[in-house]
Amino acid sequence: MTTTPIASWNSAGALAPKFKPFIRQTIANSRQWEWIPPDLQEAVQVVSHVLPFRTNEYVMDHLIDWSNIPDDPIYRLTFPHRDMLAPDDYAQLRELVLGRANQQALTELVRRIRMRMNPHPAGQMTHNVPRVNDAPLKGLQHKYKETVLFFPSAGQTCHAYCTFCFRWPQFVGMDDMKFDAKESHELASYLRMHPEVTDVLITGGDPLIMNTRSLEAYIEPLLAPDLAHIQNIRIGTKSVAYWPQRFVTDRDADDLLRLFERVVDSGKNMAIMGHYNHAVELRPDIAQQAVKRIVGTGATLRMQGPLIRHINEDPHSWAELWQTGVRLGAIPYYMFVERDTGPREYFQLPLARAHEIFQQAYQMVSGLSRTVRGPSMSAFPGKVVIDGIANIGGEKVFALQFLQARNADWVRKPFYARFDPQATWMDELKPAFGKEKFFFEEEGGSRSEFGAAPPGQRKVIPLISARQDEALRGGGGCGGAVAAAGCGVRTPA
């Protein structure tokens, strides 16, 4: 009888590490638990009743500097902290968790706290879900005309959870706020009706938590000849940082890379949207090997992540991350502004400070790394980038523009907001030069999902521009089944 753990063998013949996760109920079994002071242990046990908590042995063994907790960035990135909750909420929650007396009261308190945390930012549930015959398509989002997001049910967890994650409701049992699709046929059917869509983003959670056979079942239908208009298949993943073994030593790592090759050979672009939050995530040899193996298939690896207080405020870390990525063949893509959800007060930074950090990091790198865009807010009307801070006509302003928008006519159209050193999100900004509204508000849009609307009415913003819509209707490009499904899908705004 052998005591060797079940594991696969890598290409060099060495026993490959087995993925081992830890959650609230099992974290005390980790060898590092005793290194954590009692007050931090308590915070993990208490706060994880509200926010998701999951880490793994690789993160704990290779990414966290245990001599620097709680200030180590990856520790703060993966372990819940007391200050992520309001003091009164923490005190009430602590009493119920440690007292273990009233489960119903605990459940009700947890629900109240979560609902105050804006669990579906940017209208992702009410405004981004497409409808066919007036019925919502579960597990799909279609905010921008070119891109459809798909949430396979088997990919709605992660190798480890980030404490800032804007999709935290996916992981905490809030089933009424969960995106997941159990079948792929609705995605393919929807795409056939919408030839304007060029990109499919398979997201989660993390689709690469799935085995290759399951992932292939979702991707293979996208390679069909009648979906030739789908040019780019994207996969959003944190596995490049939290479990790079997925591409190197996992039992089906080679199968996964062959799947990428098959997509590329079909004439489509296979884009891995790698989520990185700190330079330390790309320092281990296996993390760098994962990048090389991905790009070796002909797929592209794009690096993106939010700017987060307590985690990555150092511009040198961003510069190192981008430079290392470029050296390995990856493409710096986005620096995001932390979204207005979850424990946002703990993580958010003023927009002015975000721009300063981005500018400093940008100045440290060569042109090859300057493919990165930011700082960008994935706000209700679209992706709004802070282009700069300037003085125009005696007024200090933020220079802004849409990199992507609900209405394509808004893209790359400059606009200005009054400079506010404390503002952290789009809905806190006010138009410059004495105007009452931003240009897109004058055209029927809103800067926030909470924008005012007449009682009983809902505004509508088309996912395609008015000119395109008119052309499609007048040119016969919208008929039959497409028309029945709502050509140029409109979502309530």
Side-chain angles (χ1 to χ4, degrees):
M1 184 175 182
T2 180
T3 58
T4 302
I6 299 173
S8 61
W9 297 82
N10 63 22
S11 57
L15 193 63
K18 180 185 177 185
F19 176 72
K20 185 177 181 180
F22 293 102
I23 58 176
R24 180 178 70 242
Q25 293 84 350
T26 61
I27 187 62
N29 298 330
S30 69
R31 66 186 180 88
Q32 292 93 342
W33 184 248
E34 63 183 29
W35 305 346
I36 302 176
D39 60 324
L40 299 183
Q41 290 182 350
E42 177 193 287
V44 171
Q45 295 297 326
V46 172
V47 179
S48 63
H49 279 78
V50 174
L51 299 171
F53 170 57
R54 174 180 167 101
T55 187
N56 68 60
E57 207 165 46
Y58 171 79
V59 171
M60 297 178 72
D61 286 351
H62 298 284
L63 300 184
I64 295 175
D65 177 0
W66 292 96
S67 68
N68 190 36
I69 65 166
D71 294 327
D72 176 79
I74 307 302
Y75 181 83
R76 289 194 183 273
L77 188 62
T78 54
F79 279 76
H81 295 261
R82 178 183 186 131
D83 292 343
M84 291 176 185
L85 299 181
D88 289 347
D89 287 340
Y90 185 89
Q92 293 180 57
L93 191 63
R94 179 184 184 276
E95 183 177 350
L96 291 171
V97 169
L98 300 185
R100 302 184 182 185
N102 192 332
Q103 183 60 45
Q104 182 177 350
L106 175 60
T107 300
E108 291 174 354
L109 176 60
V110 166
R111 176 77 178 180
R112 288 199 303 272
I113 294 173
R114 287 174 176 169
M115 293 306 292
R116 293 199 300 266
M117 288 184 161
N118 187 23
H120 72 103
Q124 62 179 4
M125 293 190 65
T126 54
H127 298 75
N128 299 348
V129 177
R131 305 176 74 87
V132 171
N133 297 326
D134 207 33
L137 291 181
K138 185 174 174 60
L140 270 71
Q141 289 185 25
H142 192 175
K143 181 176 180 179
Y144 308 126
K145 74 178 183 68
E146 302 93 349
T147 306
V148 165
L149 277 63
F150 180 64
F151 297 76
S153 59
Q156 299 314 306
T157 185
C158 295
H159 293 94
Y161 294 143
C162 297
T163 43
F164 69 84
C165 182
F166 77 94
R167 291 209 176 114
W168 58 271
Q170 295 279 96
F171 318 127
V172 295
M174 298 177 74
D175 291 341
D176 54 337
M177 296 191 178
K178 187 172 183 178
F179 289 99
D180 62 340
K182 294 181 172 55
E183 304 289 343
S184 61
H185 70 274
E186 283 192 338
L187 170 63
S189 298
Y190 182 78
L191 295 174
R192 289 187 183 98
M193 293 188 293
H194 291 279
E196 75 276 12
V197 176
T198 59
D199 291 44
V200 173
L201 170 57
I202 304 173
T203 185
D206 192 330
L208 292 184
I209 201 80
M210 294 188 285
N211 62 40
T212 301
R213 181 178 298 178
S214 298
L215 180 63
E216 184 178 32
Y218 291 110
I219 289 180
E220 193 70 39
L222 304 180
L223 306 184
D226 61 347
L227 290 179
H229 58 286
I230 303 302
Q231 301 172 19
N232 305 296
I233 298 174
R234 313 185 201 176
I235 298 176
T237 183
K238 183 70 181 177
S239 60
V240 287
Y242 282 170
W243 189 247
Q245 290 86 345
R246 185 70 190 88
F247 309 93
V248 182
T249 60
D250 272 7
R251 188 189 304 273
D252 63 346
D254 289 346
D255 294 334
L256 178 65
L257 298 178
R258 282 193 288 268
L259 175 60
F260 294 171
E261 289 175 343
R262 191 152 70 253
V263 173
V264 174
D265 289 344
S266 76
K268 300 183 189 294
N269 173 39
M270 181 79 248
I272 305 304
M273 317 306 289
H275 294 254
Y276 293 95
N277 299 109
H278 196 277
V280 70
E281 296 171 329
L282 199 47
R283 288 174 190 163
D285 289 342
I286 194 166
Q288 297 193 14
Q289 190 177 355
V291 175
K292 290 180 179 178
R293 297 200 87 201
I294 291 168
V295 300
T297 67
T300 57
L301 172 60
R302 296 179 185 269
M303 311 170 70
Q304 60 186 23
L307 176 60
I308 325 164
R309 188 161 61 99
H310 303 298
I311 307 294
N312 53 20
E313 299 169 78
D314 180 5
H316 291 88
S317 173
W318 285 98
E320 179 190 339
L321 178 64
W322 298 335
Q323 288 170 323
T324 304
V326 166
R327 176 172 58 81
L328 297 170
I331 304 167
Y333 189 48
Y334 270 120
M335 176 197 280
F336 290 112
V337 175
E338 168 59 2
R339 286 201 180 192
D340 56 337
T341 183
R344 63 170 299 190
E345 290 81 5
Y346 184 82
F347 289 121
Q348 68 189 7
L349 283 164
L351 297 175
R353 176 63 179 148
H355 176 263
E356 179 184 20
I357 293 170
F358 178 84
Q359 185 179 41
Q360 290 174 352
Y362 200 79
Q363 291 171 348
M364 297 178 190
V365 299
S366 74
L368 291 177
S369 294
R370 292 183 180 178
T371 52
V372 68
R373 297 174 291 181
S376 171
M377 291 177 279
S378 291
F380 179 73
K383 286 187 174 69
V384 179
V385 68
I386 305 165
D387 261 345
I389 298 171
N391 281 283
I392 301 177
E395 182 174 348
K396 192 173 184 179
V397 297
F398 286 114
L400 309 167
Q401 64 174 297
F402 285 103
L403 297 177
Q404 184 59 284
R406 290 185 182 273
N407 186 330
D409 289 339
W410 301 346
V411 174
R412 288 292 183 181
K413 189 172 181 178
F415 63 104
Y416 301 90
R418 289 193 308 215
F419 179 78
D420 181 346
Q422 303 304 319
T424 61
W425 195 248
M426 184 69 190
D427 58 7
E428 298 173 13
L429 297 177
K430 294 179 173 56
F433 314 129
K435 293 187 176 181
E436 294 185 3
K437 295 181 178 181
F438 292 114
F439 80 90
F440 57 90
E441 294 176 296
E442 295 173 345
E443 297 178 16
S446 173
R447 76 188 76 170
S448 167
E449 62 268 40
F450 307 111
Q457 296 185 30
R458 302 171 77 183
K459 297 177 183 177
V460 172
I461 297 179
L463 285 173
I464 61 175
S465 70
R467 289 196 302 272
Q468 290 171 308
D469 186 58
E470 183 179 358
L472 281 171
R473 293 181 182 278
C478 185
V482 179
C487 183
V489 179
R490 283 181 166 79
T491 55

